[in-house]
Amino acid sequence: MTAIDTSRTVAVVGTGTMGQGIAQVALVAGHPVRLYDAVAGRAGEAADAIGARLDRLVEKGRMGAGERDAARARLVPAVDLAELADAALVVEAVLEQLAVKQELFAELEKIVADDCLLATNTSSLSVTAVAGALRAPGRFVGLHFFNPAPLLPLVEVVSGHATDEETATRAWATAAAWGKTPVRCADLPGFIVNRIARPFYAEAFAVHEEHGIDPATIDAILRESGGFAMGPFELTDLIGQDVNEAVTRSVWESFFHSPKFQPSLAQRRLVESRRLGRKSGHGWFSYAEGAARPGPADAGPEDAPEYVIAEGDLAPAAELIGMIREAGITVRQEDEDKGTRLILPSGGQLVLADGQISAEFRDVVYFDLALDYRTAGRIALSAAAEVQQDTLAQATGLFQALGKRVSVLPDVPGMIVARTVAMLGDLALDAVARRVASAEDIDTAMRLGVNYPLGPVEWNEKLGRDWAWELLANLHQAVPTGRYARTLGLHQWSYGSPLEDAS
Ligand SMILES: NC(=O)c1ccc[n+]([C@@H]2O[C@H](COP(=O)([O-])OP(=O)(O)OC[C@H]3O[C@@H](n4cnc5c(N)ncnc54)[C@H](O)[C@@H]3O)[C@@H](O)[C@H]2O)c1
């Protein structure tokens, strides 16, 4: 199926933040673009704002002046919906209210030709529901752009229950022709990104609420060990706590209050007290003038142990063994089958976070998962109060000898990066099993839509198919709320059932 020809008109209805961005994308791709907004004068203002953005592209040398002038001439504000009659595609970006969108599309259907594609940019409404009032809902599709649309490459192409395959493939091809990276997904709450990203925030907030660990330390661990560009606390301060919480609540409510998506009480308090983040001057952190940003908790220097005994190959943290040797610490390798732990000279053990608590065992310190132990700047350790001081000091000294900063946490099952990556994988595989999207599209969406260093499926593949399964089984036992109950998708994947692609 080919993309809509650039000679054909694209109409954008609702010319706020998203409408302007989408119009700019279609315009730069070469289409004539018509703008319409319910508020008189706003479409004209939007055309001026888009024109000003094109001017800046010319100033930066990213667009020729002739190209800008031609694009500007193709951009036409409309005063009446009837002026959209010759559109080959209408993208709607109006208020996020079902009745408003339904009414608009019912009107549009009377105006445009039968082969005109109708698309909604909704983030949280059901595409099937928005199409509910249409006579011919087969030509209706979700085209979910991300803000700012001209810059972010991801577009989720959402098929509602009535969307024709031809409509979805044409919309996909058109987004691709516009230079975007479209992914296909089914019409389930949160589509791909807004659904699968929930644990990134929720696990960090839960560790903060349940274990009293400060936001700066959790952010630093997810950044410096997990490889995420920003931690969840600083990121939600940037997004706005109200905006982030609204997405969480919408997904949670749409899934009939599933414990998997349960919102955070601590975040609720922020929203209620209007501590919305950067925009209000205070969120998890203060942005008041002169306010010092708290730093993460760093353990003081400790001596490295002279030797460690490795039981097993330490997979999926196997690279640590070579790194320890390179640091001049003797590694005595014991029977490969015996387990996956390091025994320290104190007799205590150092074990990769597996969802259990240190207090259940004698003298065990857990260390957190890292995206890449070589490049990680920080490693978190977690220990029960009963752990010997020597064991904790030797564990700290060991990672410091590898050049890492160390954050010592209380006894947190699944720690921080490990539980986050396991939960992201669980939700991603659940979405694959439910035919929301293919594993490949989910990985692409999470890398492009929220900038994850690896897609959740490929990340879990790298860790081994039973890794998340075992970690979540232990977490579920430690915290039996249902939040960590493993999904059918994870089950099928862990046991090697072939997963069919949704695409
Ligand atoms: N802002 C984001 O980050 C983002 C990201 C992805 C998707 N979305 C979705 O995009 C849509 C628009 O969001 P936004 O942030 O651009 O909103 P916005 O408030 O910036 O703009 C909405 C525009 O729609 C106009 N409008 C309202 N009702 C209308 C109607 N019946 N007919 C024509 N115009 C009407 C308003 O006058 C306004 O100009 C929403 O569905 C939202 O969920 C937003």
Side-chain angles (χ1 to χ4, degrees):
M1 176 55 67
T2 52
I4 294 169
D5 195 89
T6 52
S7 64
R8 301 291 311 276
T9 296
V10 171
V12 175
V13 181
T15 58
T17 310
M18 292 309 293
Q20 288 183 24
I22 296 164
Q24 185 180 328
V25 171
L27 190 67
V28 171
H31 291 273
V33 173
R34 198 129 328 142
L35 301 170
Y36 175 79
D37 198 282
V39 176
R42 209 167 266 182
E45 287 164 18
D48 292 342
I50 295 166
R53 262 178 242 132
L54 299 184
D55 290 343
R56 281 201 291 280
L57 291 179
V58 173
E59 282 160 25
K60 289 183 189 159
R62 296 209 207 118
M63 184 181 249
E67 203 185 335
R68 183 258 329 264
D69 295 344
R72 196 68 187 78
R74 291 196 302 271
L75 182 62
V76 181
V79 290
D80 192 330
L81 212 53
E83 292 170 52
L84 312 187
D86 65 344
L89 166 67
V90 182
V91 185
E92 164 274 314
V94 308
L95 218 60
E96 188 74 338
Q97 282 182 15
L98 181 59
V100 172
K101 291 189 195 274
Q102 283 179 330
E103 205 175 300
L104 170 72
F105 280 110
E107 266 315 295
L108 273 169
E109 204 179 29
K110 293 180 203 152
I111 293 165
V112 297
D114 279 353
D115 63 352
C116 172
L117 290 195
L118 300 176
T120 176
N121 184 49
T122 183
S123 310
S124 63
L125 299 171
S126 147
V127 168
T128 309
V130 177
L134 291 183
R135 172 177 46 80
R139 41 111 154 231
F140 189 84
V141 69
L143 269 183
H144 186 218
F145 288 79
F146 290 74
N147 187 21
L151 295 182
L152 294 186
L154 185 68
V155 179
E156 292 175 330
V157 179
V158 187
S159 288
H161 291 188
T163 304
D164 290 337
E165 181 56 22
E166 197 184 316
T167 301
T169 50
R170 195 158 165 77
W172 187 97
T174 302
W178 292 357
K180 296 295 171 191
T181 306
V183 292
R184 293 281 306 267
C185 69
D187 183 25
L188 276 115
F191 309 137
I192 299 176
V193 172
N194 281 344
R195 167 191 186 141
I196 292 170
R198 295 334 317 145
F200 178 69
Y201 311 104
E203 291 311 311
F205 298 166
V207 168
H208 168 62
E209 280 183 86
E210 293 163 19
H211 301 276
I213 300 169
D214 65 288
T217 298
I218 298 173
D219 274 357
I221 292 167
L222 281 158
R223 265 194 331 263
E224 299 171 33
S225 203
F228 291 94
M230 289 179 89
F233 295 91
E234 55 191 344
L235 179 56
T236 51
D237 267 358
L238 184 67
I239 295 170
Q241 298 304 333
D242 50 344
V243 174
N244 180 262
E245 201 224 19
V247 177
T248 301
R249 286 173 76 89
S250 155
V251 172
W252 176 59
E253 278 157 19
S254 303
F255 280 109
F256 306 116
H257 298 177
S258 159
K260 286 256 166 221
F261 298 103
Q262 195 179 338
S264 150
L265 269 177
Q267 189 180 34
R268 182 91 282 263
R269 294 289 172 264
L270 287 184
V271 175
E272 286 169 343
S273 59
R274 308 304 292 164
R275 291 191 164 205
L276 303 179
R278 284 175 184 268
K279 64 185 173 188
S280 70
H282 207 133
W284 296 109
F285 303 110
S286 172
Y287 301 90
E289 204 159 325
R293 182 75 168 268
D298 283 332
E302 297 288 353
D303 292 335
E306 282 175 16
Y307 70 92
V308 291
I309 300 167
E311 287 189 352
D313 66 357
L314 227 60
E319 59 200 303
L320 277 176
I321 293 185
M323 291 168 63
I324 295 170
R325 286 205 170 103
E326 287 162 27
I329 298 167
T330 304
V331 180
R332 293 190 208 141
Q333 186 75 53
E334 297 255 306
D335 184 356
E336 296 275 335
D337 299 331
K338 242 174 129 186
T340 53
R341 70 195 71 224
L342 294 174
I343 312 290
L344 297 162
S346 67
Q349 301 175 29
L350 191 53
V351 180
L352 176 63
D354 62 3
Q356 300 187 83
I357 50 170
S358 156
E360 267 189 57
F361 303 94
R362 234 193 100 250
D363 217 16
V364 166
V365 172
Y366 284 105
F367 65 97
D368 206 353
L369 184 71
L371 171 68
D372 178 341
Y373 285 98
R374 285 203 177 269
T375 56
R378 175 180 302 275
I379 295 294
L381 300 177
S382 136
E386 298 75 26
V387 163
Q388 283 191 69
Q389 280 312 305
D390 272 3
T391 300
L392 189 53
Q394 288 169 12
T396 303
L398 178 69
F399 281 107
Q400 287 173 339
L402 305 185
K404 314 298 178 194
R405 291 175 289 281
V406 173
S407 294
V408 178
L409 312 178
D411 200 1
V412 181
M415 300 195 64
I416 292 172
V417 181
R419 61 157 71 195
T420 302
V421 172
M423 284 293 277
L424 291 171
D426 181 53
L427 280 194
L429 290 157
D430 178 53
V432 177
R434 289 169 191 261
R435 311 287 190 272
V436 176
S438 68
E440 195 189 342
D441 272 0
I442 288 175
D443 281 346
T444 301
M446 302 314 284
R447 276 192 278 100
L448 298 183
V450 269
N451 209 11
Y452 287 179
L454 273 181
V457 179
E458 56 181 330
W459 202 337
N460 276 271
E461 194 75 67
K462 192 177 149 211
L463 294 166
R465 289 203 173 207
D466 50 4
W467 178 81
W469 180 254
E470 283 177 18
L471 186 139
L472 292 180
N474 290 329
L475 253 181
H476 180 55
Q477 204 170 3
V479 189
T481 56
R483 182 189 198 95
Y484 303 103
R486 296 161 296 180
T487 62
L488 184 63
L490 183 66
H491 186 256
Q492 288 172 339
W493 182 75
S494 301
Y495 284 92
S497 316
L499 289 174
E500 282 172 29
D501 271 2
S503 57

